[in-house]
Every structure is written in C-alpha cells, then in structure tokens.
Amino acid sequence: MFRYLTIGLFAFTIYILFSGSITLYDILTGLIVSAIASVILAKTLVKEDSKVIDIRRLFWLIAYILHYMTIIELRAHLDVAKRIINPRMPINPGIVRVPYKTKTDYATVLVSNSITNTPGTVVVDLDEDKKILYVHWINVKAIEPDKTYEYISKTFEKYAKKIFD
Amino acid sequence: MSKKNLVITSITLTSIVLGLIISLGVLGPIPLTSIRPLGLFYALFMANRNITIEVFPLIVNPGNFWAASTEAITAILWDYRGLDTLFETSVFFFAIIGSIALFRFTEKEEHEIRKKTHENHASEGKYLGLSLITKTITKIILFTIIVVSAAIALHGQLTPGGGFQGGSAFAVAPLLAIAALSRFYLDDIGFKKNTMLLLRTMGLLIIALLAIIPVVAGIGSWQAYIMQNQPKEWAIIQLFPPKGLGVLLGSLVYYNIAELLAVGAGFTIIFILLSIPEEFYKKIIEKEGVEHG
C-alpha cells in the first residue's frame, strides 16, 4: 500500500515540475496520471513496503546527498583538476577490481553510480555472481580488492546499506 | 595539420563567423526589446482575458476579440486544420493495422512464442538484458517517461505539446524496456499486445466520436461544427469543458488524451511485435502460407 502512495507522490512531483504550473487543472490531471502510473509500475519499483516508510532511511538519504555533493565531490574534483593543470600530467590509469557487499539492486546501483559520478573513477562493468565492480581509476593506488574497496567505495557502501539494504 | 585538428578548427571558425554575421545584423535586423509588448498583446488576445491593456500605441480591450486558446497555433489553426489532424490519425491507424496484419498470430501461437522464448529466460523478476545498473536505472526512467508523456499530452492546449508528441514520447518507454530489460518486462507490467490494441482502438473511437457528435446532433440545424475546438456561443453543442479549472480548454484536451492513447499504444504494439525473434514468427507465417496457398 505504502509503496503505491510513495511512488504516486513521486510521479505527482515529476508531473508538476514538468508542467511548471500549479492550477486546479494541473493538480487534477496530475493526480489521475500519478495514480495510473503508480498502479502500473509501483510493484516493479519497490519490493518491500516497510522500507518505504522507514523514516531513518530517508534521513540517511538526505545525509548522504549532503555529504556526497559537498565534501566527496569537492575533494574528487580538486584532485582531478590538479592532475589536469599539472604540466607533467601525473596520472597512473588502470582498471581495478572493487568488491561490493550490498544486497539489494538499488544499493548496488547507488554505489556504482556514485563511483562513476565522482571524477577520477568510472565503473566499466560489474559481475553479479562474484560481486565485483570493475572500476577505471585515473590514479591507481592499489590493486588488492580490500585496498581498492577502502579507497574507492567504503563511504558509499556505508550509506547505501543504511538507505536501501 | 591532422584531420581531427582540421575538423575542430573549421567548426570553431564557422561558429565564430556565424556569430559575427548574426550579431552584425547581416541576416536581418535583430528584434529590439521594445517589441516585447507585441507578444503580450497576442497572449492576451488569445487567452480572451476580459481586461483592458495598454499596448503602445493602442489601448485595447481584448475581451471584444478572442481566439479562445492560450496556445498560438491552436488559436489560429485548430478549427480550420482539425480535419488535417483527423486524416493524419487515420494514416497512422492504417499503418499500425498493416503491421498487425503482417505479424498475425492467434492467441495460441502467441502463448507458444512466449513459452518458447521463456525457456532460455531466468526466473521471475530477473530479466535478461543489460547490466544490473542499466536495468535498475531503466526501470526508474521508464516510470518518469510515462508521467512526462502524459504531462506533454495534457498540456497540449497551452504548449506546443499535444497528443501525438505525448504518444511518441510515451513510445520511448517500451523501446527502452525491450533493449535494457527484455520484452518480458513489458508482459509483467501489463503492456501486452492485446491490451495495447484495446487502448489504441479506444483512443481512435474517442477521436472519431468527438469529431462526428456535433454534426450528428446538429442535423436539421446549421449551428454545429465538425471537430469544434473553440467555444462558439451560437452553436447548439458546446464540446469543450467549462472555464474554471484555471486554464482555458477547448475540445482539444479530449483529442489530446485520445491521441496519446492511440499513438502511444500503437507504437508499443509495433515494438512488441518487432521484438519477437525472427525464427518464431517466420515459421508461423510460412506455415500459414502453405496451408492456405
């Protein structure tokens, strides 16, 4: 039940943002459209009802967005910018294995998209059976799985598990 | 100079030269900001706002004149060009009918195809297709596409959007689903061929009825209009929703909803049919040919 409401609310927000106006017409049609979209798709988007209303997960999501968008992004941007500006171009590129321990799809996607969105690292592939992400790294500091985990995805996993697992 | 550098240099040069030409006014004078009241003038005329405005050098009351639509193209063209749209829709209707006739399966054959292709298919909830990341993100994008396409169609009376545009945007959703998640995802969310066929027929029926109802009802009188969009006080049948929902609607809003159904579902049918592996449908069509031929 809650998943239908949450997904419906999500749809309604998208509808109003895209329309760019809030008149009675927008609200009425928005409600109808989001109800239909939610009935069709909520079951494929959310599997566990109880997770949706868990307020702690929402809190962790907001905390993660704040942490990621400020500290993590700034640090990574500065690091890559330095490498670009430096005339000696101090890079040591390579693809490394990074293990992941998340259980749900959303958590795994959050971790890998966070890695990709951070300058300097890009997820090129993932192995679902071995639970390994293949990550292209602009400056390879280590190739051992436990060390790459420490360097690249430890913080992301900490949050992803609390938000989605 | 290498080929790549040459290309980059020429693109840069072209854009600089074009920018210069346009800003120097060679391609025609650049509109001044003082022309902006003209836009306001048009907007107020079309919206039929019963207020007096001052647009240099005139003081006009747009309430005396009206186009009964807030969207410029609709205001000028709809009542005259509505028939054109009706014929476009018919062309699309026949195109889809043609493709369905090409891929003709009975219910039983379709079930067989589903079973056969399902054999090399993993368990429920796990779809073949691209990586876990792509699949998860595609599910979310698919959802937003459907909502946004409905918004495009439902605001067709205000913006350059409309039913066909909304339907075409909608059609991207099943296409993405087939590429990233396999066609069985469409089955699971209820986007089946026959459901889509029903929706499409419904959309087309609504369009046809909306176009014809005023004429049928107006037999014996001249005061009814085929495909009427804008309100006409002297017409017997007023086929538009009342004012008061915050925006001015013509009958266009119904056409847009119906067209969204017809086009969106029509394209979805085509994509579903095209995603059937060749080895299956060729066999069935050939067999049919032998039986009848």
Side-chain angles (χ1 to χ4, degrees):
Chain A
M1 187 60 213
F2 289 114
R3 59 181 171 182
Y4 290 100
L5 286 175
T6 320
I7 294 296
L9 187 70
F10 183 38
F12 187 70
T13 316
I14 295 169
Y15 187 91
I16 293 296
L17 282 179
F18 184 80
S19 305
S21 66
I22 308 181
T23 59
L24 187 59
Y25 175 78
D26 294 313
I27 292 169
L28 284 178
T29 51
L31 283 176
I32 296 166
V33 167
S34 39
I36 295 171
S38 161
V39 166
I40 299 172
L41 290 169
K43 60 179 185 293
T44 67
L45 287 171
V46 184
K47 289 203 183 76
E48 282 170 61
D49 232 7
S50 59
K51 280 186 188 173
V52 180
I53 46 162
D54 194 341
I55 207 82
R56 278 169 301 171
R57 291 176 191 276
L58 187 69
F59 165 75
W60 277 111
L61 180 66
I62 294 167
Y64 177 64
I65 292 170
L66 290 175
H67 186 190
Y68 181 82
M69 286 299 167
T70 53
I71 299 164
I72 298 175
E73 279 281 284
L74 180 73
R75 212 182 277 156
H77 270 98
L78 283 178
D79 181 63
V80 173
K82 266 185 222 156
R83 288 174 207 283
I84 295 169
I85 295 166
N86 196 321
R88 281 184 292 111
M89 202 163 71
I91 58 170
N92 176 28
I95 293 176
V96 293
R97 288 193 203 92
V98 181
Y100 66 90
K101 296 167 186 116
T102 48
K103 290 185 207 85
T104 54
D105 291 359
Y106 280 124
T108 313
V109 170
L110 183 67
V111 170
S112 43
N113 276 11
S114 298
I115 293 173
T116 300
N117 201 42
T118 313
T121 47
V122 175
V123 175
V124 288
D125 199 6
L126 94 169
D127 192 324
E128 280 178 68
D129 299 328
K130 294 181 190 159
K131 298 200 106 181
I132 285 174
L133 299 167
Y134 293 91
V135 178
H136 181 273
W137 198 359
I138 198 169
N139 185 38
V140 177
K141 287 183 194 156
I143 53 165
E144 298 82 9
D146 49 336
K147 279 189 185 158
T148 55
Y149 174 77
E150 195 85 14
Y151 279 123
I152 297 175
S153 66
K154 197 182 168 193
T155 330
F156 302 143
E157 288 234 353
K158 191 186 91 188
Y159 282 104
K161 276 182 190 160
K162 286 193 166 120
I163 299 167
F164 289 118
D165 269 3
Chain B
M1 199 186 275
S2 74
K3 224 180 218 174
K4 196 175 148 198
N5 283 337
L6 196 71
V7 171
I8 293 172
T9 320
S10 54
I11 290 174
T12 321
L13 267 180
T14 317
S15 16
I16 291 172
V17 170
L18 264 180
L20 266 177
I21 290 175
I22 292 168
S23 56
L24 287 175
V26 176
L27 295 177
I30 299 157
L32 301 170
T33 46
S34 57
I35 209 165
R36 281 181 191 163
L38 189 65
L40 182 69
F41 181 80
Y42 276 119
L44 288 171
F45 259 111
M46 287 184 292
N48 189 19
R49 299 275 291 277
N50 202 8
I51 48 164
T52 309
I53 51 156
E54 204 172 312
V55 184
F56 180 81
L58 296 165
I59 296 175
V60 289
N61 177 5
N64 295 335
F65 311 97
W66 48 265
S69 172
T70 38
E71 206 262 304
I73 299 166
T74 311
I76 298 163
L77 288 177
W78 174 260
D79 263 17
Y80 310 102
R81 288 279 301 276
L83 280 174
D84 192 44
T85 307
L86 189 63
F87 286 121
E88 275 166 21
T89 309
S90 334
V91 169
F92 189 69
F93 165 78
F94 285 117
I96 304 277
I97 284 287
S99 2
I100 294 168
L102 273 177
F103 291 82
R104 49 190 178 275
F105 305 121
T106 60
E107 195 93 352
K108 204 177 133 202
E109 283 164 345
E110 210 166 318
H111 186 71
E112 210 173 291
I113 289 170
R114 197 166 293 146
K115 219 176 82 188
K116 267 188 192 165
T117 32
H118 240 298
E119 276 167 13
N120 21 350
H121 190 65
S123 60
E124 202 182 312
K126 293 263 178 200
Y127 304 100
L128 290 171
L130 304 176
S131 76
L132 173 78
I133 302 168
T134 324
K135 280 190 275 191
T136 311
I137 297 294
T138 306
K139 279 184 202 169
I140 300 172
I141 290 180
L142 195 113
F143 170 73
T144 51
I145 288 175
I146 290 175
V147 174
V148 165
S149 68
I152 294 173
L154 285 164
H155 290 84
Q157 75 280 3
L158 303 165
T159 64
F164 200 94
Q165 290 86 332
S168 314
F170 179 91
V172 179
L175 194 61
L176 274 182
I178 289 166
L181 291 152
S182 96
R183 60 192 296 262
F184 299 103
Y185 181 75
L186 291 181
D187 276 359
D188 285 0
I189 59 173
F191 281 32
K192 290 180 181 151
K193 197 191 98 190
N194 288 346
T195 319
M196 289 294 131
L197 201 57
L198 185 75
L199 283 179
R200 195 188 76 104
T201 315
M202 224 164 75
L204 290 166
L205 259 179
I206 295 172
I207 292 176
L209 286 177
L210 278 173
I212 293 163
I213 281 176
V215 178
V216 175
I219 288 174
S221 149
W222 291 106
Q223 285 150 341
Y225 294 84
I226 187 167
M227 298 204 83
Q228 178 194 340
N229 176 44
Q230 297 163 5
K232 292 171 179 56
E233 276 164 30
W234 56 89
I236 292 173
I237 308 276
Q238 298 285 359
L239 251 193
F240 55 91
K243 284 184 195 176
L245 283 179
V247 282
L248 195 68
L249 307 159
S251 64
L252 193 55
V253 69
Y254 305 130
Y255 286 106
N256 278 333
I257 295 169
E259 187 86 3
L260 169 73
L261 285 178
V263 173
F267 275 126
T268 309
I269 292 171
I270 300 287
F271 294 145
I272 290 175
L273 288 176
L274 286 179
S275 67
I276 298 170
E278 258 181 286
E279 56 195 284
F280 295 119
Y281 77 75
K282 287 249 165 92
K283 220 179 275 170
I284 289 170
I285 293 171
E286 270 168 20
K287 196 173 69 192
E288 200 183 61
V290 170
E291 280 166 10
H292 296 286

